[in-house]
Amino acid sequence: MMDKLKLGVFELTDCGGCALNILFLYEKLFDLLEFYEITEFHMATSLSEENHYDVALVTGTVSTQRDLNLLKEARNHSEYLIALGTCATHGSVQGSVELPIREKLKAVYGDDGNPMRALDSKPVVEYVAVDFALPGCPYDKNEVYQVLMDIAKGIEPVRKDYPVCLECKLNEYECVLVKKGLPCLGPITYGGCNAACIRSGLGCIGCRGPLPGEVNPASEYEILKDLGYDDEYIIRKFKTFARWEP
Amino acid sequence: MIIELREFTRVEGNGKAEIVIEDGEVKDVRLKIIEGPRFFELLTLGRHYYDVPDLEARICAICYLSHSVASVLGIERAFGVEVPEEIALIRELGLIGELLESHALHLYLLVAPDVFGYPDAIRMATKHGELVKEGLALKAFGNRIRVMVGGREIHGINVKPGGFGRYPTVEELERVEKESEALLRLARRAVRLFAQLDPYGAQAKHFVATDGYLWGEKLVSDEEGAFHYTERIEERSLVYSFAKQSLYKGEIFFVGALPRLLLKSEMLTPAAKRLFEEHREKLETGYVSYNNLAQAIELVYSLERANEIAKTLLDRGIEGENVPVEPREGEGIGYVEAPRGVLIHHYRIDANGNVAYSNIITPTALNHAMMEASLLEEARKLYGEAEERAMIGRLEETVRAFDPCISCSVHLVKL
């Protein structure tokens, strides 16, 4: 029997969902544990015994000096580092608040300065090189399962290359953008969520960030303008999860 | 001398504590929330009301639906919108799903390892696999309800001002009715298990909850009837923590499962009420560790109530009509019981339907002072008596009893 791979889960500043989602794998988590030994995962275990990881999952944004130190530790002690979730890959919602940190802190905590060493929230990928980036707010748990299984078998995991629209069509959902005139970012958003919002008859909010490559944000912008949404509304929608300039 | 505890484990988010020792005695304890600030109120400022509940859901993954519902209630109250019973019942069902998912996660995966002496549930599963599986079954059921009502297990988008994107189907409700009945046996067993916990932490002097069981128009406390949070609850910033502290009429208070049971036991379902009466004496001592026993009783309540709601909805049939929402200038507060206690979303909205003011107070922030008081109590009891490792272990258990949700606690703002 081969030695199990050491897996570390490192949580920076976020809602906890990306770490929680791993526990939501239920019986599949036990399948993963055939290949991996979890040696760092502070939401789930009080054990913390290793300083070397074959695979490190890092969730959240870098929002404090503590986050930055933890990220560097994870990077320096891991072979394969995955930025997990839209906070880690794109900055997500807290990364989209655009005031300088000093002003943000003042608005929230008053004039006491910055004793806790807060930083502007930025994604993990802006600080260190990552071996794989898996977006989603939250990411699809079956996707992380597949990625970890691929790595365990020595296969380089595949990055998806299609928009949310593809999964929407495969599910045969009615197009909410064209048929209902709802603001839907499906055409330009990185697929992999199985079109969860459109399943509810609602527009895609873009939580997986922009699909790189051949998408046409300008055309999406025009469609939303034609539907009557104003510039500020559209720009904010584009920027919410990924600070994406339309 | 300062004893610095390492970061808490088996809690959601990042926090730690410091024990200040002077002249060989425990002088003070500081609970440091080191999770970075997340600025949600700034994020929602100027946003169109319709998009706000989806953003607020991101405050917390474990209780995203409580945030969505509190946000929707605040927005609807600002516009003077009232929803019919059907919509209210489906929302309540969603909150119940969340209570089940969150309590089962907390009790079985985070607290039970302490009871049996393991560092985590995965390692505990080798000897107590059945128990872990029972916890996961309850949790998965709660999550299925969250998917049905909220749209996803985490950060769903289905709960909207005026109704839902999509309504539950008859098949889904029948499944809820059947499964809630089947799982009741497991929840009863949890009550027996967590009734064995020792009393520890501080004894709460004041309890606060919403006036309904899982949400309300106002808050209530152990000493008075309904009030708005602005009349009695004050927040203050601390230099050592990203979370603020709150006091009720200048005093430390407790929110969560135990306060809910003590203040609203007459609203409980039959089996939950019987269990409450059976353990009433213990619960009324107010020790924070009994919050876990209260959570177990709430598992029973949730399953019974889910069953009742599914039956009611099946009997009357689902119409699936949203209430039209017309934005107008207004102010509203949404009060919800998140699994770990009172959650407040307060908005002012302008004539265009954009958020002009927002204030959110989360249960972990409301309990911050109570957590410090509990740590101080335990540290005083154990310092010099127990080994340092044993003391630190108990302090960690004390914090865990609150089921603190640290991510949620770091974005409180008054503008």
Side-chain angles (χ1 to χ4, degrees):
Chain A
M1 174 80 195
M2 232 176 61
D3 277 348
K4 287 184 183 181
L5 296 169
K6 308 264 187 228
L7 179 70
V9 181
F10 297 86
E11 220 190 312
L12 311 183
T13 292
D14 62 13
C15 73
C18 289
L20 184 68
N21 216 10
I22 296 167
L23 300 178
F24 284 1
L25 282 167
Y26 301 113
E27 63 273 24
K28 278 188 167 173
L29 179 62
F30 289 92
D31 294 346
L32 275 180
L33 294 174
E34 301 279 317
F35 297 91
Y36 289 94
E37 184 191 350
I38 296 178
T39 51
E40 168 68 45
F41 187 176
H42 91 232
M43 183 196 276
T45 177
S46 299
L47 219 59
S48 178
E49 56 190 14
E50 288 294 321
N51 59 4
H52 173 85
Y53 307 92
D54 293 292
V55 181
L57 302 172
V58 185
T59 77
T61 53
V62 176
S63 298
T64 59
Q65 190 58 44
R66 171 226 172 241
D67 289 341
L68 188 54
N69 297 343
L70 189 62
L71 172 62
K72 286 182 176 160
E73 193 186 303
R75 179 65 281 185
N76 290 340
H77 295 103
S78 64
E79 298 295 325
Y80 198 98
L81 187 141
I82 301 174
L84 188 60
T86 307
C87 282
T89 61
H90 294 87
S92 200
V93 288
Q94 69 241 20
S96 75
V97 181
E98 288 185 55
L99 289 171
I101 186 70
R102 197 170 288 276
E103 284 178 41
K104 286 190 278 195
L105 287 170
K106 199 173 165 188
V108 176
Y109 301 100
D111 290 320
D112 292 335
N114 186 0
M116 302 283 291
R117 306 184 77 189
L119 306 171
D120 269 316
S121 297
K122 283 185 184 159
V124 163
V125 295
E126 285 192 26
Y127 284 103
V128 298
V130 304
D131 300 291
F132 197 79
L134 179 57
C137 183
Y139 59 88
D140 186 288
K141 61 184 179 180
N142 294 314
E143 222 180 328
V144 81
Y145 174 79
Q146 190 58 50
V147 167
L148 288 173
M149 277 303 192
D150 285 349
I151 294 169
K153 292 170 185 166
I155 304 165
E156 180 61 26
V158 180
R159 202 178 144 90
K160 295 197 168 103
D161 60 354
Y162 52 80
V164 170
C165 284
L166 181 89
E167 288 171 337
C168 183
K169 292 281 172 291
L170 287 174
N171 280 299
E172 300 185 0
Y173 298 145
E174 188 178 60
C175 178
V176 295
L177 183 63
V178 175
K179 291 273 171 66
K180 287 163 112 181
L182 292 176
C184 178
L185 300 186
I188 53 174
T189 299
Y190 184 68
C193 58
N194 205 18
C197 294
I198 301 97
R199 174 178 180 265
S200 285
L202 302 162
C204 163
I205 59 178
C207 77
R208 289 175 58 89
L211 177 68
E214 291 176 42
V215 284
N216 193 345
S219 149
E220 170 83 16
Y221 195 84
E222 284 311 312
I223 295 171
L224 295 176
K225 283 283 283 185
D226 288 347
L227 288 171
Y229 296 97
D230 66 38
D231 288 322
E232 200 197 327
Y233 181 81
I234 301 171
I235 290 169
R236 277 202 146 169
K237 223 168 170 71
F238 274 43
K239 282 186 175 179
T240 299
F241 291 94
R243 288 187 288 177
W244 192 14
E245 300 293 337
Chain B
M1 181 178 77
I2 290 177
I3 301 177
E4 181 147 308
L5 273 61
R6 65 178 187 142
E7 291 185 24
F8 301 130
T9 58
R10 283 185 278 138
V11 294
E12 202 262 339
N14 304 310
K16 60 181 181 183
E18 278 177 2
I19 308 169
V20 183
I21 313 281
E22 273 175 30
D23 307 325
E25 276 179 31
V26 177
K27 183 91 184 158
D28 200 7
V29 170
R30 298 184 198 124
L31 177 67
K32 302 172 91 171
I33 302 295
I34 52 170
E35 179 95 18
R38 298 180 60 226
F39 304 117
F40 267 82
E41 291 88 347
L42 296 177
L43 175 72
T44 49
L45 222 52
R47 294 261 178 179
H48 192 250
Y49 79 89
Y50 188 81
D51 293 337
V52 169
D54 295 345
L55 293 173
E56 306 283 33
R58 263 91 191 161
I59 291 172
C60 175
I62 299 185
C63 47
Y64 88 81
L65 218 126
S66 300
H67 283 281
S68 310
V69 173
S71 177
V72 160
L73 291 178
I75 291 165
E76 286 174 353
R77 279 176 195 150
F79 297 158
V81 169
E82 290 205 18
V83 299
E85 196 193 6
E86 173 181 301
I87 290 174
L89 283 172
I90 298 172
R91 283 179 186 163
E92 189 186 343
L93 188 55
L95 291 174
I96 282 169
E98 188 147 285
L99 205 69
L100 279 165
E101 171 273 322
S102 181
H103 280 4
L105 169 80
H106 179 67
L107 289 171
Y108 290 86
L109 300 186
L110 309 184
V111 177
D114 288 331
V115 179
F116 293 98
Y118 289 88
D120 57 53
I122 293 165
R123 284 155 185 98
M124 187 178 89
T126 51
K127 273 217 170 133
H128 302 278
E130 207 51 43
L131 188 74
V132 174
K133 268 192 207 155
E134 289 181 11
L136 289 176
L138 285 164
K139 187 167 141 49
F141 175 60
N143 258 347
R144 277 199 291 282
I145 298 179
R146 289 215 297 183
V147 173
M148 180 180 94
V149 176
R152 281 205 275 191
E153 281 185 341
I154 296 174
H155 301 335
I157 32 56
N158 196 42
V159 179
K160 291 288 175 197
F164 300 95
R166 165 191 180 277
Y167 282 75
T169 64
V170 170
E171 292 71 31
E172 284 172 332
L173 289 169
E174 282 173 349
R175 200 171 160 194
V176 169
E177 188 191 354
K178 225 164 77 189
E179 288 185 40
S180 54
E181 223 164 78
L183 289 168
L184 204 55
R185 189 177 52 86
L186 311 188
R188 287 170 180 277
R189 223 179 356 238
V191 176
R192 276 207 297 279
L193 175 64
F194 292 100
Q196 298 166 26
L197 285 171
D198 302 329
Y200 54 79
Q203 284 172 282
K205 291 195 181 61
H206 291 292
F207 301 100
V208 172
T210 62
D211 54 358
Y213 200 83
L214 284 180
W215 77 61
E217 302 278 322
K218 286 186 170 187
L219 299 176
V220 290
S221 74
D222 49 296
E223 38 173 44
E224 60 187 331
F227 61 93
H228 275 302
Y229 85 96
T230 43
E231 297 158 3
R232 301 273 186 271
I233 289 175
E234 268 178 70
E235 285 185 281
R236 60 177 186 207
S237 288
L238 304 167
V239 289
Y240 55 83
S241 176
F242 280 124
K244 289 184 191 174
Q245 267 190 5
S246 303
L247 295 172
Y248 159 78
K249 297 209 288 196
E251 293 188 46
I252 295 173
F253 66 107
F254 189 16
V255 299
L258 183 61
R260 279 196 289 266
L261 284 193
L262 292 172
L263 294 175
K264 298 179 282 194
S265 62
E266 78 284 357
M267 297 179 201
L268 291 173
T269 47
K273 194 157 190 189
R274 279 196 299 277
L275 289 163
F276 171 74
E277 291 301 339
E278 193 182 313
H279 299 286
R280 180 196 273 271
E281 222 170 292
K282 237 181 198 178
L283 296 165
E284 281 180 343
T285 61
Y287 280 107
V288 300
S289 61
Y290 292 138
N291 196 44
N292 291 322
L293 171 58
Q295 288 177 313
I297 295 174
E298 282 196 331
L299 289 176
V300 174
Y301 168 76
S302 303
L303 291 167
E304 284 187 298
R305 183 73 187 131
N307 191 267
E308 276 174 15
I309 294 175
K311 275 200 175 92
T312 308
L313 289 168
L314 284 165
D315 283 348
R316 46 182 290 167
I318 298 256
E319 283 176 28
E321 288 290 325
N322 283 0
V323 177
V325 175
E326 289 298 327
R328 67 174 199 213
E329 207 178 320
E331 182 167 354
I333 308 174
Y335 295 104
V336 162
E337 289 282 353
R340 47 202 56 69
V342 171
L343 168 66
I344 302 163
H345 279 232
H346 183 181
Y347 305 103
R348 264 200 297 277
I349 302 185
D350 68 21
N352 299 320
N354 295 325
V355 173
Y357 164 92
S358 104
N359 187 33
I360 293 163
I361 308 182
T362 62
T364 299
L366 295 173
N367 274 337
H368 195 189
M370 185 71 199
M371 276 190 237
E372 276 189 347
S374 294
L375 285 172
L376 187 62
E377 181 108 3
E378 283 303 306
R380 285 200 169 136
K381 218 184 294 171
L382 297 171
Y383 181 71
E385 295 293 316
E387 271 182 57
E388 192 167 306
R389 256 185 64 179
M391 175 178 78
I392 288 170
R394 177 43 61 90
L395 292 179
E396 213 179 299
E397 285 171 36
T398 305
V399 169
R400 211 173 279 134
F402 288 89
D403 189 9
C405 195
I406 290 170
S407 305
C408 322
S409 66
V410 289
H411 40 76
L412 311 156
V413 67
K414 281 266 204 292
L415 287 170

